């Protein structure tokens, strides 16, 4: 009975892990889409900043302060792009870990199921043995006892 409870508990845990995995995958996919959109926006912003920087370099020396500001904005944008790339890598690694954990849970459930099946076979054999023993005992009781006469 405890193996059935354990199996039910494991099945419930597996279902929860699979649901959590699905939820994590959905949320990771949404984050990835958002990060990819943000990366595209940032790359466009980066390209725009590059264009503006080129125009500013062609301007007079009185605009050097503006050029420095745009250079700083470009560096911040590149740093944010790198942060987005790092975040994407972290999310992909977390997804791989989740997939591995699900595989381990499935293996454990399979091992427990096999162990349960072996115990059930053992119990069936024990019951069959007990039934055969009882049948033999009944037959032995029905046999007449030999009468020995004392002379």
């Amino acid at each position: 009975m405890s193996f059935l409870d354990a199996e039910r508990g494991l099945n419930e845990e597996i279902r929860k892990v699979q649901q959590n995995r699905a939820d994590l995958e959905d949320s990771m996919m949404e984050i990835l889409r958002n990060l990819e959109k943000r990366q595209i926006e940032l790359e466009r912003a980066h390209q725009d900043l590059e264009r503006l920087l080129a125009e500013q370099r062609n301007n007079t020396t009185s605009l050097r302060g503006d050029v420095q500001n745009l250079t700083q904005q470009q560096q911040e944008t590149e740093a944010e792009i790198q942060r987005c790339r790092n975040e994407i890598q972290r999310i992909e690694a977390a997804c791989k870990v989740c997939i591995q954990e699900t595989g381990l849970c499935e293996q454990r459930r399979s091992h427990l199921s096999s162990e349960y099946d072996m115990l059930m076979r053992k119990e069936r054999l024990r019951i069959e043995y007990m039934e055969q023993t009882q049948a033999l005992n009944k037959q032995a009781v029905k046999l007449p006892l030999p009468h020995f006469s004392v002379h």
Side-chain angles (χ1 to χ4, degrees), residues 21-117:
R21 176 183 171 208
D23 293 343
L24 282 173
E25 286 177 350
D26 291 343
S27 100
M28 282 189 265
M29 292 305 294
E30 182 64 29
I31 290 171
L32 284 173
R33 283 192 293 274
N34 290 338
L35 289 173
E36 288 171 351
K37 288 178 186 176
R38 182 66 177 148
Q39 183 178 2
I40 290 169
E41 291 171 3
L42 291 172
E43 287 174 352
R44 287 179 185 156
H46 177 72
Q47 291 170 357
D48 291 343
L49 287 174
E50 288 287 338
R51 182 182 45 78
L52 288 174
L53 185 60
E55 290 173 7
Q56 290 296 325
R57 287 183 181 150
N58 293 332
N59 286 340
T60 63
T61 57
S62 64
L63 299 175
R64 289 193 190 270
D66 292 340
V67 171
Q68 289 175 349
N69 290 337
L70 290 172
T71 301
Q72 183 179 355
Q73 288 178 2
Q74 177 187 3
Q75 290 170 349
E76 290 170 358
T77 301
E78 287 172 350
E80 191 167 345
I81 288 171
Q82 186 59 44
R83 281 191 298 273
C84 288
R85 287 180 183 149
N86 292 342
E87 185 69 15
I88 288 171
Q89 289 174 349
R90 186 189 66 75
I91 289 170
E92 288 173 344
C95 183
K96 288 177 184 177
V97 167
C98 184
I99 290 169
Q100 289 171 349
E101 286 177 359
T102 301
L104 291 174
C105 285
E106 286 293 329
Q107 283 178 343
R108 185 171 180 206
R109 186 196 64 72
S110 175
H111 289 300
L112 282 173
S113 178
S114 296
E115 185 177 343
Y116 175 75
D117 290 342

Side-chain angles (χ1 to χ4, degrees), residues 10 16 75 95 100 113 123 133 147-148:
L10 283 174
K16 287 178 184 177
Q75 290 170 349
C95 183
Q100 289 171 349
S113 178
E123 184 63 18
T133 303
H147 294 288
F148 295 105

